[in-house]
Amino acid sequence: MSHGDSGDRASATVTSLTEPLGDGSRDPAPVDGPTEKCGVVGVSLAERDVARPLYYSLYALQHRGQDSAGIATHDGFQQHSHVEMGLVGDAFSQSDLDSLAGSAGIGHVRYPTAGGINACCAQPFSVSFKSGALGLAHNGNLVNADEIREELASSGHAFTSQGDTEVIAHDLARNLLESDLIRAVKRTMDRVHGSYSLTVMHDDTVVGVRDPQGNRPLCIGELDDGYVIASESAAVDTLDGDLVRDVKPGELVVLDRDGSGFDSYQLFEEENTAHCFFEHVYFARPDSVIDDTLVYEARRDLGRALWEEAGVDSDVVMPVPDSGRAFASGYADAAAEDGADVEFAEGLMKNRYVGRTFIMPTQDERERAVRLKLNPIRSTVEGRTVTLIDDSIVRGTTSTQLVQLLRDAGAEAVHVRIGAPAIVAPCYMGIDMATREELIAADRSVNEVREEIGADSLSYLSVDAVAGALSSTTADLCLGCVTGEYPYDIDGEPTDRDVSRPVVGEASPADD
């Protein structure tokens, strides 16, 4: 797998796989919840083309990003790529898939961070340089991307975007000029600091990399004629594969070119992990298995813990669809086991044809928008006390509207229970979380939030209960958005562990 040394230290040329559309950006419609950045996948098969399995995998990961989709493949001679803005089904035609030849490839779906999406940030990124072709797809966020970008730019690297994915691509390409793939990946990991799950294709070799603290999920699946690396096991299921295991924090997984297996290289080992607890709370599909836990059961356990900590007598327990459903199911079951006379019911019906791009130019229309998305079943609500279960409250806009909606439908009381702690701080790890100024709980007590949303009572789940429900410890979770203390060295923010970012410009430690 060694690519030899190169006497030419010229910088690699990095090209994004799309051209800017118009002014190169568009502002996403505002949403009242956290949004995840992206999903990644990599597949290596024995003989057949990989484009269609990648396409199906991206469909399975569509919930992780809806603004761009891309695939890069390699046929043993050259790299092929196609990236478009929009949903997976809109981004690829039959002819697009037919043009993506090769039995190795990677794919990506992306959600924009705050401030809009730029077409040149769509992925996978493509790199052309003397040591071959490189494609890279990234889920997460680097803390020190600006420092590395500045250093690389000063040495002649030309950047086409402000994205941190391109920083990783440039740094890895530079290291591949003088090292084999394993050592090049390790040298890049020595320099970058933050959250990343990567699928990388170097010529026709596909690899997966997870950051040393395992913040974002990544798993390995086995197919009849090859292997897949993906953000979630739902992608493996879609391909009729079997989940092998999670990629370990700090691990590099190299898929065999002939699809016969994979090699593992444990490049880093940290004392504690920093798994994002919000993957289990909100982002991941309920049918995915992440870090050995079925997400649906994790959410039910969170709901059971919510009853144990903050159960309240009411006539009916109902979820906010769809994210609150598993929490409400676990909550209602725990209540029934304790002898509570409570009914679990779907009291809010969701209109699935109203997307987040719905235009609401006036305040009256913005207030009416919730009725376009959710409509109460009056017979379930009228004259009854209601416990409304949701996964989180971010800005509070939707919660306020839903409480009023239930009151308008005749609810005698509305108790709100949240299956996660209060979000009090932004996320720097690849989630488009609101700023502190926008977070309703950042500077308000629980009672003040209750008054703001108009509920009769409000309770969040405790941090310790989250760790217990996930069979983890607080030391092994990333809880920055609910504690204000982070597992990475972020400017101006406290840490929850002994950690410091690498000093850019210093030589990497000698390879083992």
Side-chain angles (χ1 to χ4, degrees):
M1 196 172 299
S2 173
H3 303 287
D5 294 329
S6 172
D8 187 349
R9 300 296 297 276
S11 61
T13 300
V14 179
T15 56
S16 92
L17 302 182
T18 59
E19 293 299 323
L21 305 177
D23 65 356
S25 65
R26 58 190 173 96
D27 293 327
V31 291
D32 187 43
T35 53
E36 231 287 308
K37 242 185 168 181
C38 41
V40 301
V41 63
V43 180
S44 184
L45 301 177
E47 293 180 352
R48 64 185 169 111
D49 282 347
V50 77
R52 195 163 293 276
L54 286 169
Y55 175 71
Y56 294 147
S57 298
L58 294 183
Y59 253 117
L61 299 174
Q62 184 75 89
H63 60 289
R64 300 186 70 89
Q66 296 90 49
D67 273 272
S68 70
I71 290 174
T73 65
H74 201 286
D75 62 9
F77 299 97
Q78 63 179 324
Q79 182 169 291
H80 310 272
S81 62
H82 180 81
V83 175
E84 289 287 348
M85 309 304 291
L87 299 173
V88 174
D90 298 324
F92 298 95
S93 66
Q94 181 64 56
S95 61
D96 294 329
L97 294 177
D98 290 342
S99 70
L100 294 167
S103 59
I106 60 175
H108 187 272
V109 288
R110 182 176 186 266
Y111 207 108
T113 54
I117 183 168
N118 194 306
C120 67
C121 292
Q123 299 178 37
F125 268 103
S126 176
V127 182
S128 300
F129 64 121
K130 285 184 175 294
S131 290
L134 184 69
L136 190 144
H138 173 209
N139 176 209
N141 193 61
L142 298 187
V143 173
N144 65 341
D146 289 345
E147 300 163 38
I148 298 175
R149 182 188 294 107
E150 182 178 348
E151 182 204 60
L152 292 172
S154 66
S155 63
H157 291 253
F159 288 86
T160 63
S161 75
Q162 292 300 309
D164 54 355
T165 304
E166 189 176 5
V167 171
I168 301 174
H170 271 278
D171 198 78
L172 182 56
R174 182 179 70 168
N175 288 327
L176 281 166
L177 291 173
E178 56 187 25
S179 301
D180 61 39
L181 180 59
I182 310 306
R183 290 180 175 85
V185 169
K186 186 177 187 304
R187 288 177 178 177
T188 292
M189 292 176 72
D190 279 330
R191 285 164 49 80
V192 299
H193 184 62
S195 168
Y196 53 90
S197 282
L198 308 173
T199 52
V200 182
M201 183 173 63
H202 184 217
D203 291 336
D204 56 352
T205 297
V206 173
V207 308
V209 185
R210 199 173 181 193
D211 79 69
Q213 292 175 316
N215 185 253
R216 293 278 155 230
L218 198 64
C219 67
I220 310 166
E222 183 178 5
L223 311 178
D224 288 341
D225 57 347
Y227 282 82
V228 56
I229 302 169
S231 291
E232 295 184 34
S233 64
V236 180
D237 296 337
T238 298
L239 301 181
D240 294 324
D242 296 317
L243 176 63
V244 176
R245 62 172 175 84
D246 295 304
V247 176
K248 299 172 186 176
E251 183 184 17
L252 166 66
V253 173
V254 182
L255 303 187
D256 292 343
R257 290 186 180 91
D258 61 0
S260 62
F262 64 88
D263 293 322
S264 166
Y265 301 85
Q266 191 65 47
L267 301 182
F268 293 87
E269 289 192 68
E270 298 288 342
E271 182 178 352
N272 293 106
T273 60
H275 299 318
C276 173
F277 84 97
F278 235 86
E279 289 284 353
H280 289 96
V281 168
Y282 180 79
F283 294 125
R285 277 178 45 160
D287 53 333
S288 286
V289 176
I290 292 181
D291 297 322
D292 299 321
T293 302
L294 179 65
V295 172
Y296 178 78
E297 289 301 331
R299 290 177 185 168
R300 277 182 46 84
D301 289 343
L302 290 165
R304 296 178 69 88
L306 188 58
W307 166 261
E308 294 168 3
E309 283 197 340
V312 59
D313 289 333
S314 64
D315 298 318
V316 61
V317 172
M318 65 176 61
V320 175
D322 293 307
S323 56
R325 187 165 289 118
F327 297 92
S329 172
Y331 180 99
D333 282 354
E337 291 168 7
D338 280 351
D341 184 15
V342 62
E343 175 191 359
F344 172 80
E346 296 280 357
L348 292 166
M349 289 295 102
K350 186 175 184 179
N351 181 353
R352 303 184 186 279
Y353 297 95
V354 178
R356 61 185 187 82
T357 55
F358 176 71
I359 299 171
M360 299 170 287
T362 69
Q363 181 63 29
D364 179 66
E365 287 175 311
R366 283 191 289 270
E367 292 174 355
R368 188 179 300 275
V370 70
R371 289 187 178 272
L372 287 168
K373 295 183 178 182
L374 293 166
N375 194 42
I377 299 176
R378 188 171 292 271
S379 61
T380 301
V381 176
E382 191 170 19
R384 308 180 80 186
T385 57
V386 174
T387 299
L388 184 66
I389 309 285
D390 205 357
D391 61 273
S392 60
I393 300 177
V394 182
R395 293 171 179 85
T397 306
T398 297
S399 299
T400 302
Q401 293 172 329
L402 290 179
V403 170
Q404 187 59 51
L405 193 66
L406 294 175
R407 292 199 189 281
D408 292 344
E412 290 188 353
V414 181
H415 303 282
V416 176
R417 294 295 180 269
I418 303 299
I423 299 173
V424 299
C427 174
Y428 299 94
M429 300 298 106
I431 300 172
D432 183 14
M433 199 77 81
T435 64
R436 280 185 172 86
E437 290 73 21
E438 296 174 296
L439 294 169
I440 191 173
D443 58 356
R444 293 179 177 88
S445 67
V446 174
N447 191 53
E448 288 172 333
V449 175
R450 178 197 64 77
E451 291 180 350
E452 186 75 16
I453 67 174
D456 290 276
S457 71
L458 168 67
S459 289
Y460 298 92
L461 193 59
S462 71
V463 169
D464 287 340
V466 168
L470 299 182
S471 301
S472 184
T473 66
T474 57
D476 285 325
L477 296 174
C478 180
L479 297 160
C481 63
V482 298
T483 65
E485 296 181 343
Y486 298 88
Y488 299 94
D489 183 4
I490 300 166
D491 289 338
E493 300 286 4
T495 62
D496 63 6
R497 62 195 69 190
D498 183 16
V499 61
S500 60
R501 69 176 72 181
V503 178
V504 175
E506 289 188 352
S508 299
D511 296 313
D512 293 333

